[in-house]
Amino acid sequence: MYEIWLALNIVYEIALGFWPALLILLLAWLALLAVNRRGLGAVPLSRLLLVAAGVAVLVGIALPVLTLSSFRNFGYWVDWANWFAVAAGAGGFAAIWLWPVMARRYR
Amino acid sequence: MDPSLVLNRRRWLLGAAGAGAMASLAAPAAQAARLKTQARIVIAGSGLGGLAVATRLTHMLEGARITIIDKKQEHNYQPGYTLVATGVWPVGKVRDRNADLQPAGVEWIQDMVAEFDPAGNAVRTAAGQRVPYDYLVVATGTHQDWGLIEGMDVTAIGQNGLASVYPSPEAAQATWHAMDAFRRKGGNALMTLPATPLKCAGAPLKMTFMLRDRLAQAGTLDQSTVTFYSALGSVFGVKPVNDNVVARWKDLGIGIETTQKLKAVDIEARKATFVTPEGVASDVAYDFIHVVPPMRAPDAVKNSDLAWKEGNFAAGGWLEVDKDTLQHRRYKNVFGIGDINGTPRGKTAATVKKSAPIVAQHVVDVIAGREPGQKFDGYTSCPLIVREGAAMLIEFDYEGRLVPSLPMIEPLQESYFAWLMKYAMLKPAYMAVLKGRV
């Protein structure tokens, strides 16, 4: 439990550094959600998963470089697990944010 | 004013609402059990330890008068110094306004404790103010004893190949300038280690690994030598880590001298003088030298009755605390947190992370008339950078046992995950500790 609480706090403190941008993203997402609410249920899950996978791949490729490292420094499975978690998290975040955008086509 | 400080303040203001929301998640349990008291609590020092304990006490006590005494206006994230000194981070990432970090409801006296009077339950500041207390938390950190190295001039760091990560953010930045200049040409590099207890004892090792890596990146490794001069008899106090590092350095071509104490440095002539335990001195010419100062307790602690009077910690004047409870062994209303403690190991931010909740709880216990009931195991941690992009996440206790927080972590396995922790996650974790949340 402590490690989960610690991880939540780390994410929160990192987010504090991008507070204004995250607020704008949240407000924009809520507005898109309201405008396109009728099409939300019609967006195919497969499309959302495709978006999530695409963003996850891009983030996964970029992550080591963005953190001044490279795949050559991946030493054991814990590295791959964390890399996957960060990439998958970014993919999931992108899919959720783009969900109301995609819903526009199905209104 | 430094632009980074302005930005930091702005960020804090913008984040205030979010911080409040996060605090409300953490605070209820503590607030539910808040102890009513009119106790006067003085905290000497506002580094990570002092602030973390102060914040926790504000959550755990109702009516207490908590006073922090420290004159510094800038709070430095010292675990980030090695990243600044090796060109990984800009210096702004280790600098925050101290005023932004003071817990709400705590009085901040912007002065230094010049004298501890534990028999009189009071401290005296440099300006002469007497501040009485019922309970005292000593969090002064260490004193860097540069005067023990003849010819050393901290203001010359960055010039003539002189480097040291320890004194300040500016020194860390200047160290990177010296390292950057050195790696372009290569040459003879000396990395030193004194025999005294050190804060972040992994820093000299990280600097050595990173210097070697920077030389390799610049293509000047072939015309360079890197030698680690230790006065400790080893390079690190935890044997499995020491053995691992020694083996790695052997493979990397880094030389090791284990009985050589830096006695003097001639900055202009770029010459260092080392001395063996037998007193045999030798001069070594260098193109780059990383100097690690001997450390001890600040004078105010060392010269007080709070310091150890005998044993291994007496010479350095370290705070005489029980290593399990971090309560002073003779003055039961006094506690220690962080680097000042005369305990077997642990002068890192990770030590504070684990011990601040214990110290805060023990202060509350004593106020409530209970015996301190928790036991600190000496936990500390060192994300040991082995090159740019890879590190080892080493955690250990008083006994020198490797104690990974998560069972899947291999302490001696170099990894991207450990690097990612050091590069991107440990400062956020540090801030959460400082705010008393973890």
Side-chain angles (χ1 to χ4, degrees):
Chain A
M1 275 304 289
Y2 174 79
E3 276 69 29
I4 294 170
W5 175 242
L6 177 62
L8 283 173
N9 273 276
I10 289 172
V11 170
Y12 170 74
E13 290 292 336
I14 291 172
L16 261 187
F18 306 98
W19 213 89
L22 289 174
L23 181 64
I24 291 168
L25 280 176
L26 177 65
L27 293 175
W29 184 71
L30 289 173
L32 287 166
L33 211 57
V35 170
N36 301 317
R37 61 186 178 279
R38 286 182 188 162
L40 289 173
V43 179
L45 181 63
S46 58
R47 293 215 171 184
L48 284 172
L49 290 175
L50 198 64
V51 168
V55 172
V57 167
L58 288 175
V59 171
I61 291 169
L63 185 63
V65 178
L66 290 173
T67 51
L68 304 185
S69 190
S70 73
F71 286 109
R72 282 176 301 170
N73 290 315
F74 281 47
Y76 66 138
W77 70 271
V78 169
D79 291 339
W80 292 102
N82 279 279
W83 167 80
F84 180 80
V86 174
F93 179 85
I96 290 170
W97 197 89
L98 290 171
W99 181 29
V101 177
M102 295 163 72
R104 190 174 178 185
R105 289 185 59 190
Y106 298 94
R107 278 191 301 183
Chain B
M1 181 182 288
D2 188 307
S4 66
L5 295 183
V6 176
L7 281 174
N8 283 339
R9 182 166 54 182
R10 199 169 292 159
R11 194 179 70 202
W12 271 87
L13 288 170
L14 285 166
M22 200 70 178
S24 68
L25 287 174
Q31 282 174 346
R34 286 178 86 183
L35 177 70
K36 288 185 179 176
T37 178
Q38 292 189 323
R40 298 165 300 176
I41 302 170
V42 166
I43 298 174
S46 65
L48 177 64
L51 290 174
V53 170
T55 307
R56 284 181 173 275
L57 289 177
T58 62
H59 294 159
M60 300 166 81
L61 298 172
E62 185 180 337
R65 283 168 288 168
I66 303 172
T67 303
I68 289 176
I69 303 176
D70 196 337
K71 75 173 179 184
K72 69 168 175 275
Q73 299 298 310
E74 185 176 294
H75 183 97
N76 298 130
Y77 173 64
Q78 296 184 46
Y81 283 8
T82 48
L83 295 177
V84 173
T86 55
V88 177
W89 269 11
V91 71
K93 291 195 78 165
V94 299
R95 304 175 72 191
D96 287 286
R97 268 167 45 94
N98 207 13
D100 292 336
L101 306 177
Q102 299 298 311
V106 170
E107 183 190 5
W108 178 23
I109 296 178
Q110 298 179 34
D111 199 350
M112 297 300 285
V113 173
E115 188 182 329
F116 289 93
D117 176 15
N121 288 327
V123 300
R124 191 174 296 280
T125 69
Q129 182 183 356
R130 185 177 184 275
V131 185
Y133 63 78
D134 299 308
Y135 303 92
L136 171 69
V137 178
V138 183
T140 57
T142 64
H143 173 78
Q144 297 173 20
D145 224 343
W146 292 102
L148 293 180
I149 303 169
E150 294 167 27
M152 182 62 198
D153 177 4
V154 174
T155 64
I157 290 171
Q159 304 159 35
N160 288 307
L162 182 66
S164 180
V165 73
Y166 277 99
S168 63
E170 292 73 24
Q173 190 177 34
T175 290
W176 167 238
H177 293 151
M179 185 185 290
D180 191 30
F182 171 68
R183 70 168 174 163
R184 293 170 200 274
K185 294 180 186 173
N188 187 31
L190 312 180
M191 315 299 284
T192 74
L193 184 72
T196 66
L198 293 181
K199 64 177 169 183
C200 192
L205 312 186
K206 297 173 199 176
M207 294 300 294
T208 304
F209 274 117
M210 280 299 286
L211 175 67
R212 195 268 177 200
D213 193 45
R214 292 300 190 203
L215 289 166
Q217 290 173 346
T220 50
L221 188 60
D222 288 345
Q223 55 257 39
S224 302
T225 55
V226 180
T227 309
F228 193 85
Y229 284 79
S230 169
L232 196 61
S234 59
V235 301
F236 199 74
V238 178
K239 190 171 186 316
V241 179
N242 178 76
D243 295 348
N244 184 281
V245 170
V246 167
R248 286 174 183 275
W249 284 357
K250 189 176 177 187
D251 291 343
L252 294 171
I254 296 170
I256 303 172
E257 299 283 346
T258 56
T259 56
Q260 298 281 345
K261 183 173 81 171
L262 180 64
K263 179 173 180 274
V265 59
D266 185 334
I267 296 169
E268 292 295 324
R270 297 196 183 203
K271 187 184 72 177
T273 303
F274 292 92
V275 61
T276 66
E278 295 77 30
V280 179
S282 56
D283 292 340
V284 184
Y286 65 83
D287 301 292
F288 177 91
I289 186 170
H290 181 257
V291 181
V292 179
M295 296 185 197
R296 62 169 171 82
D299 287 338
V301 175
K302 188 170 188 283
N303 298 333
S304 77
D305 198 37
L306 293 175
W308 279 95
K309 302 303 174 198
E310 56 187 22
N312 295 337
F313 302 111
W318 302 102
L319 190 70
E320 186 185 335
V321 291
D322 178 89
K323 72 183 179 69
D324 296 330
T325 63
L326 304 182
Q327 183 182 35
H328 198 277
R329 283 159 43 98
R330 289 173 283 121
Y331 296 98
K332 301 301 182 186
N333 61 340
V334 177
F335 294 82
I337 180 81
D339 298 349
I340 186 59
N341 283 343
T343 50
R345 297 180 203 279
K347 298 193 187 301
T348 70
T351 308
V352 172
K353 173 170 99 55
K354 188 79 179 283
S355 59
I358 294 173
V359 169
Q361 183 59 54
H362 286 174
V363 171
V364 173
D365 285 343
V366 172
I367 292 173
R370 299 186 295 261
E371 282 294 311
Q374 296 186 34
K375 184 175 177 180
F376 179 51
D377 63 3
Y379 172 86
T380 193
S381 172
C382 176
L384 187 53
I385 301 168
V386 296
R387 62 179 172 275
E388 188 174 51
M392 298 188 288
L393 188 55
I394 295 161
E395 300 164 278
F396 49 93
D397 62 11
Y398 278 141
E399 313 303 324
R401 292 177 298 223
L402 298 176
V403 287
S405 296
L406 297 169
M408 71 273 199
I409 292 174
E410 295 286 346
L412 300 177
Q413 167 71 54
E414 63 182 47
S415 77
Y416 169 68
F417 168 63
W419 167 262
L420 188 63
M421 290 280 291
K422 175 75 178 170
Y423 179 79
M425 297 182 189
L426 290 186
K427 185 172 183 193
Y430 176 101
M431 298 307 288
V433 171
L434 188 149
K435 295 172 189 174
R437 286 202 306 265
V438 297

